[in-house]
Amino acid sequence: FSLLFGGELLKFKDYSQESSLNFKNNTYLMSEKLDGIRGIWNGKTLNTRNNYPINPPKVWLKNFPPFSLDGELWLDYQSFEKISSIVRNSNSSLKEWQNITYNVFDAPNICQDCTLLERLDKLQKYLDKNPSPSIKIIPQFQIQSKQHLQSYFQEILNQNGEGIIIRKNDTPYGDSSNTYKYKPYMDSECEVIGYTQGKGKFEGMLGAIICQAKIQGVQKTFKIGSGFSTKERQSPPPLHSIITYKYNGLTKNNLPRFPTFLHIRYKEFQ
């Protein structure tokens, strides 16, 4: 995607209340973080963030623009598994896709030297002339203070939202130095590379999964033994699938502290 966007794919760091970000000049924006499937529209095709093709029905792509978009394919709150199964099945029907929306948070190459709000405004003008029922623009709000940020964050959590995104308005798309995700917990992804057997009440089932991930640039291997339902212990995430887990910071050895399974992100390594 570097040729399309003029930079790397946008990434998000964790934000904490102890952060020293200065919101006094209203240069930071906040928006809701949707827990869906990241989708990159390159002007012709829709792909995952790792450049695997997504194949929605052609009618669903009506009036998608000739320029790039970055956003989240989303269905509803607490519906990640459902949308994941639809999006990753190349034979999913229009009926299955019709309630999915593409929620855009950036239009990377729509104009040169534009702010985020200017890029999204140009996208809105395109959509005004070329309506697409599948595309929504995620609203962006200028942050007035930490209290304003915290109030919006709590509002999102109260409606079962995942959290919020914080971005500096005048930062170019490919620069991830001023982009943050703010959630009630830290989370990340890892690849399942093995299992341990359960003991006691979990005998004959999964005890823990053995996961592998790059943490601060170093490949690490660790176990995740909590967060699984009985059904998931009987039929654990497949080998080489990518799972999402939450954790409480890192140990002195840069391993996740108290990692807990959340859900399967991808059925296979992508």
Side-chain angles (χ1 to χ4, degrees):
F1 296 113
S2 58
L3 292 177
L4 288 171
F5 294 160
E8 295 299 318
L9 198 63
L10 198 63
K11 298 177 181 177
F12 303 93
K13 303 184 291 288
D14 288 305
Y15 171 85
S16 70
Q17 293 189 56
E18 290 72 41
S19 170
S20 59
L21 292 185
N22 183 0
F23 299 130
K24 290 182 179 179
N25 296 324
N26 292 338
T27 56
Y28 281 92
L29 305 171
M30 59 184 175
S31 60
E32 182 173 3
K33 184 183 188 307
L34 299 174
D35 189 23
I37 301 291
R38 181 92 172 262
I40 312 298
W41 173 254
N42 63 16
K44 293 182 179 179
T45 60
L46 190 62
N47 302 279
T48 69
R49 65 183 178 186
N50 294 313
N51 211 17
Y52 280 73
I54 299 173
N55 298 301
K58 285 186 178 181
V59 65
W60 188 88
L61 291 169
K62 178 183 178 184
N63 284 345
F64 268 52
F67 47 82
S68 302
L69 303 175
D70 194 353
E72 203 83 7
L73 292 157
W74 193 70
L75 187 60
D76 203 348
Y77 294 109
Q78 299 177 331
S79 296
F80 178 82
E81 285 78 9
K82 185 174 181 180
I83 189 172
S84 181
S85 66
I86 294 171
V87 169
R88 299 189 182 282
N89 180 359
S90 59
N91 296 316
S92 293
S93 66
L94 178 58
K95 185 177 180 180
E96 292 174 299
W97 271 88
Q98 63 186 2
N99 292 320
I100 294 176
T101 52
Y102 184 41
N103 296 266
V104 176
F105 51 76
D106 212 326
N109 56 5
I110 197 170
C111 55
Q112 295 293 320
D113 301 321
C114 295
T115 66
L116 172 57
L117 289 180
E118 288 170 342
R119 294 194 296 272
L120 293 179
D121 182 61
K122 286 183 179 293
L123 171 59
Q124 183 60 64
K125 287 175 179 173
Y126 170 86
L127 293 174
D128 289 343
K129 295 179 180 178
N130 307 275
S132 172
S134 303
I135 297 177
K136 291 185 177 180
I137 299 175
I138 299 178
Q140 304 285 330
F141 304 100
Q142 287 189 327
I143 304 174
Q144 298 164 14
S145 63
K146 280 197 172 183
Q147 292 78 12
H148 181 215
L149 171 71
Q150 202 59 35
S151 174
Y152 180 64
F153 178 64
Q154 195 57 52
E155 179 185 325
I156 295 300
L157 297 187
N158 289 345
Q159 61 188 29
N160 293 316
E162 188 188 32
I164 62 178
I165 292 294
I166 301 166
R167 296 178 64 188
K168 200 170 185 181
N169 183 35
D170 59 1
T171 302
Y173 172 85
D175 183 351
S176 296
S177 60
N178 292 297
T179 60
Y180 302 86
K181 57 182 178 180
Y182 184 19
K183 303 171 72 169
Y185 51 79
M186 301 174 81
D187 69 352
S188 193
E189 296 170 1
C190 60
E191 179 189 1
V192 178
I193 62 169
Y195 311 96
T196 65
Q197 289 296 313
K199 299 177 181 178
K201 66 178 181 178
F202 297 139
E203 189 170 350
M205 296 186 283
L206 172 74
I209 61 170
I210 303 171
C211 245
Q212 193 173 67
K214 270 193 175 181
I215 300 176
Q216 296 189 349
V218 179
Q219 196 82 335
K220 297 283 187 177
T221 301
F222 53 95
K223 294 179 182 178
I224 301 177
S226 61
F228 300 99
S229 66
T230 299
K231 183 179 178 182
E232 288 164 340
R233 289 190 183 277
Q234 292 169 338
S235 180
L239 276 176
H240 305 300
S241 61
I242 303 299
I243 66 162
T244 301
Y245 66 94
K246 64 179 180 179
Y247 63 106
N248 295 329
L250 299 175
T251 68
K252 64 181 181 180
N253 296 319
N254 282 340
L255 292 173
R257 183 181 283 112
F258 308 125
T260 301
F261 173 78
L262 287 177
H263 52 66
I264 296 174
R265 197 77 197 175
Y266 310 129
K267 288 283 187 182
E268 69 224 4
F269 186 76
Q270 293 186 0

Short mmCIF file of all heavy atoms in Angstrom, two decimals, residues 35-72:
data_model
loop_
_atom_site.label_atom_id
_atom_site.label_comp_id
_atom_site.label_asym_id
_atom_site.label_seq_id
_atom_site.Cartn_x
_atom_site.Cartn_y
_atom_site.Cartn_z
N ASP A 35 -15.22 -2.11 16.17
CA ASP A 35 -14.59 -3.42 16.19
C ASP A 35 -15.12 -4.25 15.03
O ASP A 35 -16.03 -5.05 15.17
CB ASP A 35 -14.88 -4.12 17.52
CG ASP A 35 -14.07 -5.40 17.66
OD1 ASP A 35 -13.02 -5.52 16.99
OD2 ASP A 35 -14.50 -6.30 18.42
N GLY A 36 -14.53 -4.02 13.85
CA GLY A 36 -14.94 -4.74 12.65
C GLY A 36 -13.72 -5.28 11.93
O GLY A 36 -12.71 -5.61 12.55
N ILE A 37 -13.81 -5.35 10.62
CA ILE A 37 -12.70 -5.82 9.79
C ILE A 37 -12.11 -4.62 9.05
O ILE A 37 -12.82 -3.93 8.32
CB ILE A 37 -13.18 -6.87 8.76
CG1 ILE A 37 -13.80 -8.08 9.45
CG2 ILE A 37 -12.02 -7.29 7.85
CD1 ILE A 37 -12.83 -8.94 10.21
N ARG A 38 -10.83 -4.36 9.23
CA ARG A 38 -10.17 -3.25 8.55
C ARG A 38 -10.21 -3.51 7.05
O ARG A 38 -9.86 -4.60 6.57
CB ARG A 38 -8.72 -3.15 9.03
CG ARG A 38 -7.90 -2.00 8.42
CD ARG A 38 -7.96 -0.78 9.26
NE ARG A 38 -7.04 0.25 8.80
CZ ARG A 38 -5.83 0.48 9.32
NH1 ARG A 38 -5.38 -0.29 10.30
NH2 ARG A 38 -5.10 1.49 8.89
N GLY A 39 -10.67 -2.54 6.30
CA GLY A 39 -10.76 -2.68 4.85
C GLY A 39 -10.04 -1.53 4.16
O GLY A 39 -10.23 -0.36 4.51
N ILE A 40 -9.23 -1.87 3.17
CA ILE A 40 -8.50 -0.86 2.39
C ILE A 40 -9.03 -0.88 0.96
O ILE A 40 -8.88 -1.87 0.25
CB ILE A 40 -6.99 -1.14 2.38
CG1 ILE A 40 -6.46 -1.43 3.79
CG2 ILE A 40 -6.24 0.02 1.74
CD1 ILE A 40 -6.60 -0.30 4.77
N TRP A 41 -9.64 0.21 0.56
CA TRP A 41 -10.11 0.36 -0.82
C TRP A 41 -9.02 1.08 -1.60
O TRP A 41 -8.61 2.20 -1.25
CB TRP A 41 -11.41 1.17 -0.85
CG TRP A 41 -11.88 1.53 -2.23
CD1 TRP A 41 -11.83 2.76 -2.82
CD2 TRP A 41 -12.49 0.66 -3.19
NE1 TRP A 41 -12.36 2.72 -4.09
CE2 TRP A 41 -12.77 1.43 -4.35
CE3 TRP A 41 -12.81 -0.69 -3.20
CZ2 TRP A 41 -13.37 0.90 -5.48
CZ3 TRP A 41 -13.41 -1.24 -4.33
CH2 TRP A 41 -13.68 -0.45 -5.45
N ASN A 42 -8.48 0.45 -2.66
CA ASN A 42 -7.36 1.04 -3.39
C ASN A 42 -7.79 1.80 -4.64
O ASN A 42 -6.96 2.16 -5.47
CB ASN A 42 -6.32 -0.03 -3.75
CG ASN A 42 -6.87 -1.09 -4.70
OD1 ASN A 42 -7.91 -0.91 -5.33
ND2 ASN A 42 -6.19 -2.21 -4.79
N GLY A 43 -9.08 2.06 -4.76
CA GLY A 43 -9.61 2.74 -5.95
C GLY A 43 -10.23 1.78 -6.93
O GLY A 43 -10.98 2.19 -7.82
N LYS A 44 -9.94 0.48 -6.75
CA LYS A 44 -10.49 -0.55 -7.65
C LYS A 44 -10.98 -1.79 -6.90
O LYS A 44 -11.99 -2.38 -7.27
CB LYS A 44 -9.43 -0.97 -8.67
CG LYS A 44 -9.05 0.13 -9.66
CD LYS A 44 -8.02 -0.37 -10.68
CE LYS A 44 -7.66 0.72 -11.68
NZ LYS A 44 -6.64 0.24 -12.66
N THR A 45 -10.24 -2.18 -5.86
CA THR A 45 -10.60 -3.39 -5.13
C THR A 45 -10.51 -3.15 -3.63
O THR A 45 -9.83 -2.22 -3.17
CB THR A 45 -9.68 -4.58 -5.49
OG1 THR A 45 -8.33 -4.23 -5.17
CG2 THR A 45 -9.79 -4.92 -6.97
N LEU A 46 -11.20 -4.02 -2.88
CA LEU A 46 -11.21 -3.93 -1.43
C LEU A 46 -10.36 -5.07 -0.87
O LEU A 46 -10.49 -6.22 -1.30
CB LEU A 46 -12.66 -4.06 -0.92
CG LEU A 46 -12.93 -3.76 0.55
CD1 LEU A 46 -12.58 -2.30 0.89
CD2 LEU A 46 -14.41 -4.02 0.88
N ASN A 47 -9.47 -4.74 0.07
CA ASN A 47 -8.55 -5.73 0.63
C ASN A 47 -8.45 -5.59 2.13
O ASN A 47 -8.78 -4.53 2.70
CB ASN A 47 -7.15 -5.56 0.02
CG ASN A 47 -7.14 -5.69 -1.48
OD1 ASN A 47 -7.13 -6.79 -2.02
ND2 ASN A 47 -7.14 -4.56 -2.19
N THR A 48 -7.95 -6.65 2.79
CA THR A 48 -7.65 -6.54 4.20
C THR A 48 -6.40 -5.70 4.37
O THR A 48 -5.72 -5.36 3.41
CB THR A 48 -7.40 -7.93 4.82
OG1 THR A 48 -6.17 -8.47 4.31
CG2 THR A 48 -8.54 -8.91 4.52
N ARG A 49 -6.07 -5.40 5.61
CA ARG A 49 -4.88 -4.58 5.85
C ARG A 49 -3.61 -5.31 5.45
O ARG A 49 -2.56 -4.68 5.27
CB ARG A 49 -4.82 -4.16 7.32
CG ARG A 49 -4.63 -5.31 8.28
CD ARG A 49 -4.66 -4.81 9.71
NE ARG A 49 -4.52 -5.91 10.66
CZ ARG A 49 -4.62 -5.77 11.96
NH1 ARG A 49 -4.88 -4.58 12.47
NH2 ARG A 49 -4.50 -6.79 12.77
N ASN A 50 -3.68 -6.64 5.31
CA ASN A 50 -2.53 -7.42 4.87
C ASN A 50 -2.61 -7.77 3.40
O ASN A 50 -1.94 -8.68 2.92
CB ASN A 50 -2.40 -8.68 5.73
CG ASN A 50 -2.05 -8.36 7.17
OD1 ASN A 50 -1.16 -7.56 7.42
ND2 ASN A 50 -2.78 -8.92 8.10
N ASN A 51 -3.48 -7.04 2.67
CA ASN A 51 -3.59 -7.14 1.22
C ASN A 51 -4.22 -8.44 0.72
O ASN A 51 -3.98 -8.86 -0.40
CB ASN A 51 -2.22 -6.94 0.55
CG ASN A 51 -2.35 -6.30 -0.83
OD1 ASN A 51 -3.39 -5.72 -1.17
ND2 ASN A 51 -1.33 -6.41 -1.63
N TYR A 52 -5.04 -9.07 1.57
CA TYR A 52 -5.83 -10.21 1.11
C TYR A 52 -7.15 -9.68 0.54
O TYR A 52 -7.75 -8.77 1.12
CB TYR A 52 -6.11 -11.18 2.26
CG TYR A 52 -4.94 -12.08 2.56
CD1 TYR A 52 -3.80 -11.59 3.21
CD2 TYR A 52 -4.96 -13.42 2.21
CE1 TYR A 52 -2.72 -12.41 3.48
CE2 TYR A 52 -3.89 -14.26 2.49
CZ TYR A 52 -2.77 -13.75 3.12
OH TYR A 52 -1.71 -14.57 3.39
N PRO A 53 -7.61 -10.22 -0.59
CA PRO A 53 -8.82 -9.67 -1.23
C PRO A 53 -10.08 -9.91 -0.42
O PRO A 53 -10.26 -10.96 0.20
CB PRO A 53 -8.88 -10.42 -2.57
CG PRO A 53 -8.09 -11.67 -2.36
CD PRO A 53 -7.02 -11.33 -1.38
N ILE A 54 -10.95 -8.90 -0.40
CA ILE A 54 -12.30 -9.01 0.14
C ILE A 54 -13.24 -8.90 -1.06
O ILE A 54 -13.08 -8.03 -1.91
CB ILE A 54 -12.58 -7.88 1.15
CG1 ILE A 54 -11.60 -7.98 2.33
CG2 ILE A 54 -14.02 -7.94 1.65
CD1 ILE A 54 -11.69 -6.81 3.31
N ASN A 55 -14.20 -9.81 -1.13
CA ASN A 55 -15.03 -9.89 -2.34
C ASN A 55 -16.51 -9.69 -2.05
O ASN A 55 -17.30 -10.63 -2.10
CB ASN A 55 -14.81 -11.25 -3.01
CG ASN A 55 -13.38 -11.45 -3.47
OD1 ASN A 55 -12.88 -10.68 -4.27
ND2 ASN A 55 -12.73 -12.47 -2.94
N PRO A 56 -16.93 -8.46 -1.77
CA PRO A 56 -18.36 -8.20 -1.59
C PRO A 56 -19.08 -8.27 -2.93
O PRO A 56 -18.44 -8.18 -3.99
CB PRO A 56 -18.38 -6.78 -1.04
CG PRO A 56 -17.15 -6.14 -1.56
CD PRO A 56 -16.13 -7.24 -1.64
N PRO A 57 -20.41 -8.43 -2.94
CA PRO A 57 -21.16 -8.39 -4.20
C PRO A 57 -20.92 -7.06 -4.92
O PRO A 57 -20.76 -6.01 -4.28
CB PRO A 57 -22.61 -8.52 -3.74
CG PRO A 57 -22.53 -9.16 -2.39
CD PRO A 57 -21.26 -8.68 -1.77
N LYS A 58 -20.89 -7.10 -6.23
CA LYS A 58 -20.58 -5.89 -7.01
C LYS A 58 -21.55 -4.75 -6.73
O LYS A 58 -21.15 -3.58 -6.69
CB LYS A 58 -20.57 -6.23 -8.51
CG LYS A 58 -19.33 -7.00 -8.93
CD LYS A 58 -19.28 -7.18 -10.44
CE LYS A 58 -18.00 -7.91 -10.86
NZ LYS A 58 -17.91 -8.09 -12.31
N VAL A 59 -22.82 -5.08 -6.52
CA VAL A 59 -23.80 -4.03 -6.28
C VAL A 59 -23.53 -3.32 -4.95
O VAL A 59 -23.83 -2.14 -4.79
CB VAL A 59 -25.24 -4.61 -6.31
CG1 VAL A 59 -25.49 -5.58 -5.17
CG2 VAL A 59 -26.28 -3.49 -6.29
N TRP A 60 -22.92 -4.04 -4.00
CA TRP A 60 -22.59 -3.43 -2.71
C TRP A 60 -21.52 -2.35 -2.89
O TRP A 60 -21.45 -1.40 -2.10
CB TRP A 60 -22.11 -4.51 -1.75
CG TRP A 60 -21.91 -4.07 -0.33
CD1 TRP A 60 -22.85 -4.04 0.67
CD2 TRP A 60 -20.69 -3.57 0.25
NE1 TRP A 60 -22.29 -3.57 1.83
CE2 TRP A 60 -20.97 -3.27 1.60
CE3 TRP A 60 -19.40 -3.36 -0.23
CZ2 TRP A 60 -20.00 -2.77 2.48
CZ3 TRP A 60 -18.44 -2.86 0.63
CH2 TRP A 60 -18.74 -2.57 1.97
N LEU A 61 -20.70 -2.49 -3.94
CA LEU A 61 -19.61 -1.54 -4.20
C LEU A 61 -20.05 -0.35 -5.06
O LEU A 61 -19.21 0.42 -5.52
CB LEU A 61 -18.46 -2.25 -4.90
CG LEU A 61 -17.67 -3.28 -4.06
CD1 LEU A 61 -16.74 -4.09 -4.96
CD2 LEU A 61 -16.89 -2.60 -2.95
N LYS A 62 -21.35 -0.19 -5.24
CA LYS A 62 -21.85 0.89 -6.10
C LYS A 62 -21.30 2.25 -5.67
O LYS A 62 -21.35 2.63 -4.50
CB LYS A 62 -23.39 0.91 -6.04
CG LYS A 62 -24.00 2.03 -6.87
CD LYS A 62 -25.51 2.06 -6.72
CE LYS A 62 -26.12 3.22 -7.51
NZ LYS A 62 -27.58 3.33 -7.31
N ASN A 63 -20.75 2.98 -6.64
CA ASN A 63 -20.24 4.34 -6.47
C ASN A 63 -19.04 4.44 -5.52
O ASN A 63 -18.76 5.52 -4.99
CB ASN A 63 -21.35 5.29 -6.01
CG ASN A 63 -22.28 5.66 -7.14
OD1 ASN A 63 -21.97 5.46 -8.31
ND2 ASN A 63 -23.44 6.20 -6.80
N PHE A 64 -18.34 3.31 -5.31
CA PHE A 64 -17.08 3.45 -4.59
C PHE A 64 -16.15 4.31 -5.44
O PHE A 64 -16.12 4.19 -6.66
CB PHE A 64 -16.47 2.08 -4.32
CG PHE A 64 -16.87 1.50 -2.98
CD1 PHE A 64 -18.20 1.40 -2.61
CD2 PHE A 64 -15.91 1.04 -2.09
CE1 PHE A 64 -18.58 0.87 -1.38
CE2 PHE A 64 -16.26 0.51 -0.86
CZ PHE A 64 -17.59 0.42 -0.50
N PRO A 65 -15.35 5.19 -4.82
CA PRO A 65 -14.60 6.19 -5.58
C PRO A 65 -13.36 5.63 -6.28
O PRO A 65 -12.88 4.54 -5.96
CB PRO A 65 -14.19 7.19 -4.50
CG PRO A 65 -14.09 6.37 -3.26
CD PRO A 65 -15.18 5.34 -3.36
N PRO A 66 -12.79 6.39 -7.21
CA PRO A 66 -11.57 5.98 -7.91
C PRO A 66 -10.30 6.30 -7.11
O PRO A 66 -9.21 6.17 -7.63
CB PRO A 66 -11.62 6.80 -9.20
CG PRO A 66 -12.35 8.04 -8.81
CD PRO A 66 -13.37 7.62 -7.80
N PHE A 67 -10.44 6.73 -5.86
CA PHE A 67 -9.30 7.02 -5.00
C PHE A 67 -9.35 6.13 -3.76
O PHE A 67 -10.36 5.47 -3.49
CB PHE A 67 -9.27 8.51 -4.61
CG PHE A 67 -10.59 9.05 -4.14
CD1 PHE A 67 -11.02 8.86 -2.82
CD2 PHE A 67 -11.42 9.74 -5.01
CE1 PHE A 67 -12.24 9.37 -2.39
CE2 PHE A 67 -12.65 10.25 -4.59
CZ PHE A 67 -13.06 10.06 -3.27
N SER A 68 -8.28 6.10 -2.99
CA SER A 68 -8.14 5.17 -1.87
C SER A 68 -8.92 5.60 -0.64
O SER A 68 -9.08 6.80 -0.37
CB SER A 68 -6.67 5.03 -1.49
OG SER A 68 -5.92 4.58 -2.59
N LEU A 69 -9.37 4.60 0.12
CA LEU A 69 -10.06 4.81 1.39
C LEU A 69 -9.51 3.83 2.42
O LEU A 69 -9.07 2.74 2.08
CB LEU A 69 -11.57 4.58 1.25
CG LEU A 69 -12.34 5.42 0.22
CD1 LEU A 69 -13.79 4.95 0.15
CD2 LEU A 69 -12.27 6.90 0.57
N ASP A 70 -9.56 4.24 3.67
CA ASP A 70 -9.21 3.35 4.78
C ASP A 70 -10.36 3.39 5.77
O ASP A 70 -10.84 4.47 6.13
CB ASP A 70 -7.91 3.83 5.44
CG ASP A 70 -7.30 2.78 6.37
OD1 ASP A 70 -7.94 1.73 6.60
OD2 ASP A 70 -6.18 3.02 6.87
N GLY A 71 -10.82 2.21 6.19
CA GLY A 71 -11.96 2.20 7.09
C GLY A 71 -12.23 0.82 7.66
O GLY A 71 -11.43 -0.10 7.55
N GLU A 72 -13.39 0.70 8.27
CA GLU A 72 -13.76 -0.50 9.00
C GLU A 72 -15.08 -1.04 8.45
O GLU A 72 -16.07 -0.31 8.36
CB GLU A 72 -13.93 -0.15 10.49
CG GLU A 72 -13.79 -1.30 11.42
CD GLU A 72 -12.34 -1.63 11.76
OE1 GLU A 72 -11.43 -0.87 11.38
OE2 GLU A 72 -12.12 -2.65 12.42
#
